[in-house]
């Protein structure tokens, strides 16, 4: 039978509960256990697909096409497993399934209530994963903060599970904040004490406390948390801010967190192998040369909105021994003058996006990259703007556009496919999840991947309009990846440009720390070459 670890959060949100949970996942996997992870989100939206990035950050897409919380991206990157729609659950989904059952009359005249109906549904979802696959440990993160009204049914369900499954099979990990008060020079444990008190009111006594803080907390603070919260001092884990999220598992391991968890759950004490992770962390630490990458979007500075893209850039840079200097470029404010901001960068990335705002700016950026021979990686809308730009400037279709941005365009080079035209519901109706892409032999894309067919994840409604493909190709835009039936354009590139590759899919979702995505890796390599070429050109001008 699988063991269950529940990760809750206290005091405030944004403590890095997802990273803490993922780090536990990685440590247990490195001890040879079969691990999976899931997230329970207490909001009423059925999924985050309809939410604004300001509210929710990136929407992470699983290979089976679920639009999920960005924490699933952390889980996949840390435990290196592909997760599915069964790994993210929301209050919206849980109520939806209970209400559907009620409408079918499946409750046989009974009153449907939060306890036991909603809590049973939650428990069933928690344990469902281990009935479908052989697992040793299931880690479930409960979104939100203890004390939130909407989180109550989830806490009640996990409380009941310890009773159902037995204390040796269930472990509660609570991630809290230990603030540092600079004026008194002290770490304060009171918020943690209150948060644990709040957990206890719903009947949960944590087994392990992960104390997040600005810097290392002294032993005395851990002793105090131990005393007031009834957790051994060894089970109060010191989790200070670190330079990189990838150091967190190593910090936990130094404090024997994995040993503690296996002992508490009665799991065998398999040896741990963290060598690959340590190597990666070393490489991350010892980078010197810098590559400047422009990220062109309308949520500038909002890291969560581009989480997987930023991580994929990091993985690629670490693999190349380079550091990224990220230059945020606000696409909705771009005019010819502010394009100068791009003069100093070595590579330009246009990530996915929805809606008209900032589109003309992105189109200008694509033209700039093409004109100046600057490495360009376009993702999803980043492909669409590259195609629009090419159609306008090279094919002579001056008003070319996507019907998403101008429904009346005379040249809809990007358009809805017929099957999307009668879809009026917003949630879950895009082309979502993993689809095959056939690569053109001899193309740059094919040489990056070194394969003939790849599977990549999608999240978009619009496609390159098949009616314009011939014209685009005849004018020199190379279509280097297509759907197996040849109808959908998946990748375009410019053969005469050092690196101009754009994909209709989102390669960022497949990048892993120890396995950088080939398109990102080549993009970073080419951006670095661009710096080197520029330096050589510069020194030869000085000589003359
Ligand atoms: N808005 C575009 C579409 O729906 C692109 C989406 C994206 O970049 N993910 O097709």
């Amino acid at each position: 039978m699988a063991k269950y670890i529940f990760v809750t959060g206290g005091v405030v949100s944004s403590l890095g509960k997802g990273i803490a949970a993922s780090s536990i996942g990685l440590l247990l996997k490195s001890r040879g256990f079969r691990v999976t992870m899931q997230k329970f989100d207490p909001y009423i939206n059925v999924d985050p697909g309809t939410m604004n990035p300001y509210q929710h950050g990136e929407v992470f897409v699983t290979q089976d096409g679920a639009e999920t919380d960005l924490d699933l991206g952390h889980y996949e990157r840390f435990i290196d497993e592909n997760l599915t729609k069964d790994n993210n659950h929301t209050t919206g989904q849980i109520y939806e399934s209970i209400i559907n059952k009620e409408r079918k009359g499946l409750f046989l005249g009974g009153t449907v209530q939060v306890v036991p109906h909603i809590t049973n549904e939650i428990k069933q979802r928690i344990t469902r994963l281990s009935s479908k696959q052989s697992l040793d440990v299931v880690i479930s993160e409960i979104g939100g903060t203890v004390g939130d009204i909407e989180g109550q049914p989830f806490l009640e369900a996990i409380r009941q599970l310890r009773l159902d499954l037995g204390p040796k099979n269930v472990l509660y990990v609570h991630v809290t904040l230990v603030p540092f008060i600079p004026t008194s020079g002290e770490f304060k444990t009171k918020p943690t004490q209150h948060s644990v008190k709040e957990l206890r009111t719903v009947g949960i006594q944590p087994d392990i406390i992960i104390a997040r803080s600005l810097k290392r907390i002294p032993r005395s603070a851990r002793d105090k948390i131990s005393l007031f919260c009834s957790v051994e001092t060894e089970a109060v884990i010191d989790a200070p801010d670190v330079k990189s999220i990838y150091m967190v598992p190593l910090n936990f391991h130094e404090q024997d967190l994995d040993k503690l968890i296996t002992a508490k759950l009665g799991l065998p004490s398999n040896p741990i192998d963290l060598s690959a992770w340590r190597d990666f962390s070393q490489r991350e630490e010892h980078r010197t040369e810098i590559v400047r990458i422009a990220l062109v979007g309308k949520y500038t500075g909002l890291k969560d909105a581009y989480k997987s893209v930023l991580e994929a850039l990091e993985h690629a840079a670490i693999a190349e021994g380079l550091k990224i200097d990220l230059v945020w470029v606000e696409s909705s404010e771009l005019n010819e003058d502010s394009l100068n901001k791009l003069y100093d960068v070595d590579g330009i990335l246009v990530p996915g996006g929805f809606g008209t705002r900032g589109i003309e700016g992105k189109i200008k950026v694509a033209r700039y990259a093409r004109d100046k021979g600057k490495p360009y990686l376009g993702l999803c809308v980043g492909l669409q703007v590259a195609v629009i730009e090419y159609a306008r400037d090279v094919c002579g279709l001056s008003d070319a556009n996507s019907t998403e941005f101008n429904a009346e365009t005379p040249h809809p080079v990007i358009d809805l496919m017929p099957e999307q035209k009668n879809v009026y519901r917003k949630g879950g109706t895009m082309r979502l999840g993993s689809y095959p892409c056939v690569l053109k032999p001899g193309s740059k894309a094919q040489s990056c991947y070194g394969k003939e067919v790849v599977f990549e994840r999608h999240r978009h409604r619009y496609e390159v309009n098949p009616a314009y493909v011939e014209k685009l190709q005849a004018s020199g835009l190379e279509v280097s990846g297509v759907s197996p039936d040849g109808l959908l354009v998946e990748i375009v590139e410019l053969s005469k440009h050092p690196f101009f590759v754009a994909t209709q899919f989102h390669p960022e979702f497949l990048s892993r720390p120890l396995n950088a995505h080939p398109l990102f890796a080549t993009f970073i390599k080419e951006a670095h070459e661009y710096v080197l070429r520029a330096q050589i050109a510069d020194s030869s001008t000085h000589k003359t």
Side-chain angles (χ1 to χ4, degrees), residues 9-11 144-152 155 174 195 198-199 201-202:
V11 186
T145 307
V146 166
D148 294 347
I149 290 176
E150 55 268 57
Q152 298 288 337
L155 297 179
H174 192 49
S195 173
E198 192 77 40
L199 257 187
T201 45
V202 295

Side-chain angles (χ1 to χ4, degrees), residues 60-82:
F60 186 80
V61 181
T62 56
Q63 75 179 349
D64 63 342
E67 297 175 274
T68 70
D69 186 72
L70 60 76
D71 274 321
L72 267 84
H74 293 311
Y75 303 166
E76 287 205 354
R77 290 187 282 270
F78 275 67
I79 65 170
D80 194 15
E81 301 275 344
N82 289 327

Side-chain angles (χ1 to χ4, degrees), residues 415-428:
D415 197 8
L416 287 176
M417 295 304 277
E419 61 274 20
Q420 279 282 358
K421 286 201 168 147
N422 298 318
V423 176
Y424 298 104
R425 275 166 69 106
K426 283 277 182 251

Side-chain angles (χ1 to χ4, degrees), residues 164 180 189 244 319 385 419 423 472 498:
D164 297 350
F180 178 72
T189 64
S244 152
V385 294
E419 61 274 20
V423 176
L472 289 162

Side-chain angles (χ1 to χ4, degrees), residues 436-443 445-455 480-484 491:
C437 163
V438 180
L439 301 169
K440 185 174 167 192
S443 64
Q446 201 255 331
S447 88
C448 291
Y449 282 104
K451 288 184 186 161
E452 281 155 27
V453 180
V454 291
F455 289 80
S480 52
V482 288
S483 56
I491 311 179

Side-chain angles (χ1 to χ4, degrees), residues 24 58 92 160 262 272 354 384 408 414 436 493 526 543:
I24 293 174
E58 152 190 294
Q160 291 176 17
T262 50
I272 193 159
F354 291 84
Q384 299 177 353
E408 308 302 323
I414 309 290
E493 60 184 68
E526 291 292 341
K543 267 182 226 143

Side-chain angles (χ1 to χ4, degrees), residues 351-355 379-382 384 404-405 414 430 459-463 504 506:
F354 291 84
L379 310 177
C380 208
V381 95
Q384 299 177 353
E404 179 182 9
F405 316 131
I414 309 290
M430 287 186 253
R459 180 172 184 254
H460 56 99
R461 271 198 182 85
Y462 294 81
E463 307 277 353
Q504 187 56 76
H506 290 274

